Short mmCIF file of all heavy atoms in Angstrom, two decimals:
data_model
loop_
_atom_site.label_atom_id
_atom_site.label_comp_id
_atom_site.label_asym_id
_atom_site.label_seq_id
_atom_site.Cartn_x
_atom_site.Cartn_y
_atom_site.Cartn_z
N GLU A 1149 -179.09 -122.01 -23.39
CA GLU A 1149 -178.23 -121.38 -24.44
C GLU A 1149 -177.97 -119.91 -24.13
O GLU A 1149 -177.14 -119.27 -24.74
CB GLU A 1149 -178.92 -121.52 -25.79
CG GLU A 1149 -178.20 -121.02 -26.97
CD GLU A 1149 -176.91 -121.80 -27.26
OE1 GLU A 1149 -176.83 -122.97 -26.87
OE2 GLU A 1149 -176.04 -121.22 -27.88
N CYS A 1150 -178.66 -119.34 -23.12
CA CYS A 1150 -178.52 -117.92 -22.83
C CYS A 1150 -177.18 -117.57 -22.22
O CYS A 1150 -176.59 -118.37 -21.49
CB CYS A 1150 -179.61 -117.46 -21.87
SG CYS A 1150 -181.23 -117.35 -22.60
N SER A 1151 -176.72 -116.37 -22.50
CA SER A 1151 -175.49 -115.85 -21.93
C SER A 1151 -175.77 -115.33 -20.52
O SER A 1151 -176.86 -114.88 -20.22
CB SER A 1151 -174.96 -114.72 -22.81
OG SER A 1151 -173.95 -114.01 -22.13
N ASN A 1152 -174.78 -115.45 -19.67
CA ASN A 1152 -174.91 -114.91 -18.30
C ASN A 1152 -174.79 -113.37 -18.29
O ASN A 1152 -175.43 -112.72 -17.47
CB ASN A 1152 -173.88 -115.49 -17.36
CG ASN A 1152 -174.10 -116.98 -17.15
OD1 ASN A 1152 -175.22 -117.48 -17.19
ND2 ASN A 1152 -173.01 -117.70 -16.90
N MET A 1153 -174.03 -112.83 -19.19
CA MET A 1153 -173.79 -111.39 -19.24
C MET A 1153 -174.98 -110.65 -19.87
O MET A 1153 -175.38 -109.59 -19.46
CB MET A 1153 -172.49 -111.05 -19.99
CG MET A 1153 -171.27 -111.44 -19.24
SD MET A 1153 -169.74 -111.15 -20.12
CE MET A 1153 -169.99 -109.62 -20.93
N ALA A 1154 -175.51 -111.22 -20.94
CA ALA A 1154 -176.64 -110.62 -21.67
C ALA A 1154 -177.72 -111.69 -21.73
O ALA A 1154 -177.75 -112.47 -22.67
CB ALA A 1154 -176.21 -110.18 -23.05
N PRO A 1155 -178.63 -111.71 -20.78
CA PRO A 1155 -179.58 -112.81 -20.63
C PRO A 1155 -180.46 -113.12 -21.81
O PRO A 1155 -180.84 -114.27 -22.00
CB PRO A 1155 -180.42 -112.40 -19.42
CG PRO A 1155 -179.62 -111.38 -18.69
CD PRO A 1155 -178.77 -110.73 -19.71
N LEU A 1156 -180.80 -112.18 -22.65
CA LEU A 1156 -181.68 -112.48 -23.78
C LEU A 1156 -180.90 -112.87 -25.05
O LEU A 1156 -181.50 -113.20 -26.06
CB LEU A 1156 -182.56 -111.28 -24.09
CG LEU A 1156 -183.54 -110.90 -22.98
CD1 LEU A 1156 -184.35 -109.69 -23.37
CD2 LEU A 1156 -184.48 -112.07 -22.68
N TYR A 1157 -179.59 -112.84 -24.98
CA TYR A 1157 -178.77 -113.16 -26.15
C TYR A 1157 -178.21 -114.58 -25.99
O TYR A 1157 -177.76 -114.99 -24.93
CB TYR A 1157 -177.60 -112.21 -26.30
CG TYR A 1157 -178.02 -110.81 -26.67
CD1 TYR A 1157 -178.10 -109.79 -25.77
CD2 TYR A 1157 -178.35 -110.51 -27.99
CE1 TYR A 1157 -178.44 -108.52 -26.13
CE2 TYR A 1157 -178.72 -109.26 -28.37
CZ TYR A 1157 -178.78 -108.26 -27.44
OH TYR A 1157 -179.17 -106.99 -27.78
N SER A 1158 -178.23 -115.31 -27.10
CA SER A 1158 -177.61 -116.63 -27.08
C SER A 1158 -176.11 -116.48 -27.13
O SER A 1158 -175.58 -115.53 -27.69
CB SER A 1158 -178.13 -117.49 -28.25
OG SER A 1158 -177.55 -117.07 -29.43
N ARG A 1159 -175.45 -117.45 -26.57
CA ARG A 1159 -173.95 -117.40 -26.57
C ARG A 1159 -173.41 -117.46 -27.97
O ARG A 1159 -172.43 -116.79 -28.27
CB ARG A 1159 -173.43 -118.61 -25.75
CG ARG A 1159 -173.67 -118.45 -24.27
CD ARG A 1159 -173.01 -119.56 -23.50
NE ARG A 1159 -173.53 -119.57 -22.16
CZ ARG A 1159 -174.09 -120.61 -21.55
NH1 ARG A 1159 -174.21 -121.75 -22.21
NH2 ARG A 1159 -174.54 -120.53 -20.37
N SER A 1160 -174.04 -118.24 -28.83
CA SER A 1160 -173.52 -118.34 -30.20
C SER A 1160 -173.59 -117.01 -30.94
O SER A 1160 -172.71 -116.64 -31.70
CB SER A 1160 -174.28 -119.44 -30.99
OG SER A 1160 -175.64 -119.12 -31.05
N TYR A 1161 -174.68 -116.23 -30.72
CA TYR A 1161 -174.78 -114.92 -31.35
C TYR A 1161 -173.69 -114.00 -30.81
O TYR A 1161 -173.06 -113.26 -31.56
CB TYR A 1161 -176.16 -114.27 -31.11
CG TYR A 1161 -176.16 -112.83 -31.49
CD1 TYR A 1161 -176.18 -112.46 -32.82
CD2 TYR A 1161 -176.14 -111.81 -30.53
CE1 TYR A 1161 -176.15 -111.12 -33.21
CE2 TYR A 1161 -176.11 -110.47 -30.88
CZ TYR A 1161 -176.12 -110.11 -32.23
OH TYR A 1161 -176.11 -108.83 -32.58
N LEU A 1162 -173.50 -113.98 -29.50
CA LEU A 1162 -172.48 -113.11 -28.92
C LEU A 1162 -171.09 -113.46 -29.42
O LEU A 1162 -170.27 -112.57 -29.68
CB LEU A 1162 -172.55 -113.19 -27.40
CG LEU A 1162 -173.79 -112.53 -26.74
CD1 LEU A 1162 -173.78 -112.76 -25.24
CD2 LEU A 1162 -173.84 -111.06 -27.08
N VAL A 1163 -170.80 -114.75 -29.59
CA VAL A 1163 -169.49 -115.16 -30.13
C VAL A 1163 -169.42 -114.67 -31.58
O VAL A 1163 -168.35 -114.12 -31.99
CB VAL A 1163 -169.32 -116.70 -30.04
CG1 VAL A 1163 -168.13 -117.16 -30.85
CG2 VAL A 1163 -169.20 -117.11 -28.59
N PHE A 1164 -170.45 -114.87 -32.36
CA PHE A 1164 -170.46 -114.42 -33.78
C PHE A 1164 -170.23 -112.91 -33.84
O PHE A 1164 -169.41 -112.43 -34.62
CB PHE A 1164 -171.78 -114.78 -34.42
CG PHE A 1164 -172.01 -114.15 -35.77
CD1 PHE A 1164 -171.33 -114.62 -36.89
CD2 PHE A 1164 -172.88 -113.07 -35.92
CE1 PHE A 1164 -171.50 -114.03 -38.14
CE2 PHE A 1164 -173.06 -112.51 -37.14
CZ PHE A 1164 -172.40 -112.95 -38.26
N TRP A 1165 -170.93 -112.15 -33.02
CA TRP A 1165 -170.86 -110.71 -33.02
C TRP A 1165 -169.46 -110.24 -32.61
O TRP A 1165 -168.86 -109.37 -33.24
CB TRP A 1165 -171.91 -110.13 -32.09
CG TRP A 1165 -171.94 -108.64 -31.99
CD1 TRP A 1165 -172.49 -107.79 -32.90
CD2 TRP A 1165 -171.37 -107.85 -31.00
NE1 TRP A 1165 -172.30 -106.51 -32.48
CE2 TRP A 1165 -171.62 -106.49 -31.31
CE3 TRP A 1165 -170.66 -108.13 -29.83
CZ2 TRP A 1165 -171.21 -105.46 -30.53
CZ3 TRP A 1165 -170.25 -107.07 -29.04
CH2 TRP A 1165 -170.50 -105.72 -29.38
N ALA A 1166 -168.91 -110.87 -31.58
CA ALA A 1166 -167.56 -110.52 -31.11
C ALA A 1166 -166.48 -110.83 -32.13
O ALA A 1166 -165.60 -110.04 -32.39
CB ALA A 1166 -167.24 -111.25 -29.78
N VAL A 1167 -166.59 -112.01 -32.80
CA VAL A 1167 -165.64 -112.38 -33.82
C VAL A 1167 -165.71 -111.45 -35.02
O VAL A 1167 -164.70 -111.02 -35.58
CB VAL A 1167 -165.84 -113.84 -34.26
CG1 VAL A 1167 -165.07 -114.18 -35.50
CG2 VAL A 1167 -165.42 -114.80 -33.12
N LEU A 1168 -166.91 -111.06 -35.42
CA LEU A 1168 -167.09 -110.11 -36.53
C LEU A 1168 -166.41 -108.79 -36.22
O LEU A 1168 -165.69 -108.23 -37.06
CB LEU A 1168 -168.58 -109.92 -36.84
CG LEU A 1168 -168.84 -109.05 -38.06
CD1 LEU A 1168 -168.46 -109.76 -39.34
CD2 LEU A 1168 -170.28 -108.67 -38.10
N ASN A 1169 -166.66 -108.29 -35.03
CA ASN A 1169 -166.03 -107.02 -34.63
C ASN A 1169 -164.52 -107.16 -34.48
O ASN A 1169 -163.77 -106.25 -34.83
CB ASN A 1169 -166.66 -106.47 -33.34
CG ASN A 1169 -167.99 -105.77 -33.62
OD1 ASN A 1169 -168.08 -104.87 -34.43
ND2 ASN A 1169 -169.03 -106.21 -32.94
N LEU A 1170 -164.07 -108.28 -33.99
CA LEU A 1170 -162.64 -108.53 -33.85
C LEU A 1170 -161.95 -108.60 -35.24
O LEU A 1170 -160.86 -108.05 -35.44
CB LEU A 1170 -162.38 -109.81 -33.08
CG LEU A 1170 -160.91 -110.11 -32.74
CD1 LEU A 1170 -160.34 -109.00 -31.84
CD2 LEU A 1170 -160.81 -111.45 -32.04
N LEU A 1171 -162.61 -109.22 -36.19
CA LEU A 1171 -162.08 -109.26 -37.56
C LEU A 1171 -162.01 -107.86 -38.16
O LEU A 1171 -161.02 -107.51 -38.83
CB LEU A 1171 -162.95 -110.17 -38.46
CG LEU A 1171 -162.78 -111.68 -38.23
CD1 LEU A 1171 -163.80 -112.44 -39.05
CD2 LEU A 1171 -161.39 -112.14 -38.54
N THR A 1172 -163.04 -107.08 -37.95
CA THR A 1172 -163.07 -105.70 -38.43
C THR A 1172 -161.89 -104.94 -37.80
O THR A 1172 -161.17 -104.24 -38.51
CB THR A 1172 -164.40 -105.03 -38.09
OG1 THR A 1172 -165.46 -105.78 -38.61
CG2 THR A 1172 -164.43 -103.60 -38.64
N PHE A 1173 -161.72 -105.10 -36.50
CA PHE A 1173 -160.61 -104.41 -35.81
C PHE A 1173 -159.25 -104.90 -36.33
O PHE A 1173 -158.33 -104.11 -36.51
CB PHE A 1173 -160.73 -104.66 -34.30
CG PHE A 1173 -159.67 -103.96 -33.51
CD1 PHE A 1173 -159.71 -102.59 -33.32
CD2 PHE A 1173 -158.63 -104.66 -32.93
CE1 PHE A 1173 -158.73 -101.91 -32.59
CE2 PHE A 1173 -157.65 -104.02 -32.19
CZ PHE A 1173 -157.70 -102.67 -32.02
N THR A 1174 -159.13 -106.19 -36.61
CA THR A 1174 -157.88 -106.74 -37.12
C THR A 1174 -157.56 -106.16 -38.49
O THR A 1174 -156.38 -105.84 -38.77
CB THR A 1174 -157.97 -108.29 -37.18
OG1 THR A 1174 -158.29 -108.78 -35.88
CG2 THR A 1174 -156.69 -108.92 -37.68
N VAL A 1175 -158.54 -106.06 -39.35
CA VAL A 1175 -158.33 -105.41 -40.67
C VAL A 1175 -157.83 -103.97 -40.46
O VAL A 1175 -156.91 -103.54 -41.15
CB VAL A 1175 -159.61 -105.46 -41.52
CG1 VAL A 1175 -159.51 -104.58 -42.75
CG2 VAL A 1175 -159.93 -106.90 -41.92
N MET A 1176 -158.45 -103.30 -39.54
CA MET A 1176 -158.09 -101.92 -39.29
C MET A 1176 -156.62 -101.82 -38.79
O MET A 1176 -155.85 -100.97 -39.25
CB MET A 1176 -159.02 -101.30 -38.24
CG MET A 1176 -158.90 -99.83 -38.09
SD MET A 1176 -160.18 -99.10 -37.06
CE MET A 1176 -160.49 -100.34 -35.84
N VAL A 1177 -156.25 -102.71 -37.90
CA VAL A 1177 -154.86 -102.72 -37.40
C VAL A 1177 -153.91 -103.01 -38.55
O VAL A 1177 -152.85 -102.39 -38.68
CB VAL A 1177 -154.71 -103.76 -36.26
CG1 VAL A 1177 -153.24 -103.97 -35.92
CG2 VAL A 1177 -155.45 -103.30 -35.03
N ALA A 1178 -154.24 -103.97 -39.41
CA ALA A 1178 -153.38 -104.31 -40.51
C ALA A 1178 -153.24 -103.14 -41.47
O ALA A 1178 -152.13 -102.86 -41.97
CB ALA A 1178 -153.95 -105.55 -41.27
N VAL A 1179 -154.30 -102.45 -41.75
CA VAL A 1179 -154.27 -101.31 -42.66
C VAL A 1179 -153.41 -100.19 -42.07
O VAL A 1179 -152.51 -99.64 -42.79
CB VAL A 1179 -155.68 -100.76 -42.99
CG1 VAL A 1179 -155.65 -99.43 -43.68
CG2 VAL A 1179 -156.43 -101.79 -43.85
N TYR A 1180 -153.60 -99.87 -40.80
CA TYR A 1180 -152.79 -98.81 -40.17
C TYR A 1180 -151.31 -99.22 -40.04
O TYR A 1180 -150.43 -98.40 -40.16
CB TYR A 1180 -153.36 -98.37 -38.83
CG TYR A 1180 -154.48 -97.38 -38.98
CD1 TYR A 1180 -155.77 -97.65 -38.59
CD2 TYR A 1180 -154.21 -96.11 -39.56
CE1 TYR A 1180 -156.77 -96.72 -38.73
CE2 TYR A 1180 -155.22 -95.19 -39.71
CZ TYR A 1180 -156.51 -95.49 -39.27
OH TYR A 1180 -157.51 -94.57 -39.45
N THR A 1181 -151.06 -100.49 -39.83
CA THR A 1181 -149.70 -100.98 -39.79
C THR A 1181 -149.04 -100.79 -41.13
O THR A 1181 -147.87 -100.36 -41.23
CB THR A 1181 -149.66 -102.47 -39.36
OG1 THR A 1181 -150.27 -102.56 -38.07
CG2 THR A 1181 -148.23 -103.01 -39.30
N ARG A 1182 -149.75 -101.14 -42.18
CA ARG A 1182 -149.21 -100.98 -43.55
C ARG A 1182 -148.94 -99.49 -43.84
O ARG A 1182 -147.92 -99.13 -44.44
CB ARG A 1182 -150.14 -101.57 -44.57
CG ARG A 1182 -149.58 -101.61 -45.95
CD ARG A 1182 -150.28 -102.61 -46.83
NE ARG A 1182 -149.57 -102.67 -48.10
CZ ARG A 1182 -150.06 -102.30 -49.26
NH1 ARG A 1182 -151.33 -101.89 -49.32
NH2 ARG A 1182 -149.36 -102.38 -50.37
N ILE A 1183 -149.86 -98.65 -43.46
CA ILE A 1183 -149.67 -97.20 -43.65
C ILE A 1183 -148.43 -96.73 -42.88
O ILE A 1183 -147.61 -96.00 -43.41
CB ILE A 1183 -150.91 -96.38 -43.22
CG1 ILE A 1183 -152.07 -96.65 -44.18
CG2 ILE A 1183 -150.60 -94.90 -43.13
CD1 ILE A 1183 -153.39 -96.07 -43.68
N PHE A 1184 -148.31 -97.17 -41.64
CA PHE A 1184 -147.15 -96.78 -40.81
C PHE A 1184 -145.85 -97.19 -41.44
O PHE A 1184 -144.90 -96.40 -41.54
CB PHE A 1184 -147.30 -97.33 -39.40
CG PHE A 1184 -146.09 -97.06 -38.53
CD1 PHE A 1184 -145.90 -95.81 -38.00
CD2 PHE A 1184 -145.14 -98.02 -38.32
CE1 PHE A 1184 -144.81 -95.53 -37.23
CE2 PHE A 1184 -144.02 -97.78 -37.57
CZ PHE A 1184 -143.86 -96.52 -36.99
N ILE A 1185 -145.77 -98.43 -41.89
CA ILE A 1185 -144.53 -98.93 -42.50
C ILE A 1185 -144.22 -98.15 -43.79
O ILE A 1185 -143.08 -97.77 -44.00
CB ILE A 1185 -144.66 -100.44 -42.80
CG1 ILE A 1185 -144.67 -101.22 -41.48
CG2 ILE A 1185 -143.51 -100.93 -43.70
CD1 ILE A 1185 -145.07 -102.68 -41.62
N TYR A 1186 -145.22 -97.87 -44.57
CA TYR A 1186 -145.02 -97.12 -45.82
C TYR A 1186 -144.51 -95.71 -45.52
O TYR A 1186 -143.55 -95.25 -46.14
CB TYR A 1186 -146.35 -97.08 -46.58
CG TYR A 1186 -146.28 -96.25 -47.82
CD1 TYR A 1186 -145.68 -96.73 -48.99
CD2 TYR A 1186 -146.80 -94.96 -47.88
CE1 TYR A 1186 -145.64 -95.97 -50.14
CE2 TYR A 1186 -146.75 -94.17 -49.01
CZ TYR A 1186 -146.16 -94.70 -50.16
OH TYR A 1186 -146.13 -93.94 -51.28
N VAL A 1187 -145.17 -95.04 -44.56
CA VAL A 1187 -144.76 -93.66 -44.26
C VAL A 1187 -143.37 -93.65 -43.63
O VAL A 1187 -142.55 -92.77 -43.91
CB VAL A 1187 -145.82 -93.00 -43.33
CG1 VAL A 1187 -145.32 -91.67 -42.80
CG2 VAL A 1187 -147.11 -92.83 -44.07
N ARG A 1188 -143.07 -94.62 -42.79
CA ARG A 1188 -141.74 -94.70 -42.19
C ARG A 1188 -140.67 -94.88 -43.25
O ARG A 1188 -139.60 -94.26 -43.19
CB ARG A 1188 -141.69 -95.82 -41.12
CG ARG A 1188 -140.45 -95.70 -40.28
CD ARG A 1188 -140.42 -96.69 -39.19
NE ARG A 1188 -140.25 -98.01 -39.82
CZ ARG A 1188 -140.35 -99.16 -39.20
NH1 ARG A 1188 -140.62 -99.19 -37.93
NH2 ARG A 1188 -140.14 -100.29 -39.81
N ARG A 1189 -140.90 -95.73 -44.23
CA ARG A 1189 -139.94 -95.92 -45.30
C ARG A 1189 -139.73 -94.64 -46.08
O ARG A 1189 -138.58 -94.28 -46.43
CB ARG A 1189 -140.40 -97.03 -46.26
CG ARG A 1189 -140.18 -98.42 -45.72
CD ARG A 1189 -140.53 -99.44 -46.76
NE ARG A 1189 -140.53 -100.76 -46.13
CZ ARG A 1189 -141.26 -101.78 -46.55
NH1 ARG A 1189 -142.11 -101.62 -47.56
NH2 ARG A 1189 -141.21 -102.94 -45.96
#
């Protein structure tokens, strides 16, 4: 179950961690996009 990149971490944890950070980043992109559209208008 270990990851090749991080030997002590399970692959499922790394996927969970990456998805969580990607969701956070996506929310941030959406918020800044909304701000940009509002300011441009």
Side-chain angles (χ1 to χ4, degrees):
E1149 184 65 24
C1150 286
S1151 167
N1152 293 332
M1153 289 177 40
L1156 296 178
Y1157 291 102
S1158 74
R1159 289 186 194 124
S1160 60
Y1161 168 74
L1162 290 176
V1163 168
F1164 170 75
W1165 181 80
V1167 168
L1168 184 71
N1169 281 305
L1170 186 62
L1171 286 173
T1172 304
F1173 182 73
T1174 304
V1175 168
M1176 192 172 34
V1177 169
V1179 167
Y1180 277 117
T1181 300
R1182 187 160 187 245
I1183 290 171
F1184 175 77
I1185 290 169
Y1186 176 78
V1187 171
R1188 193 176 69 188
R1189 282 186 190 151

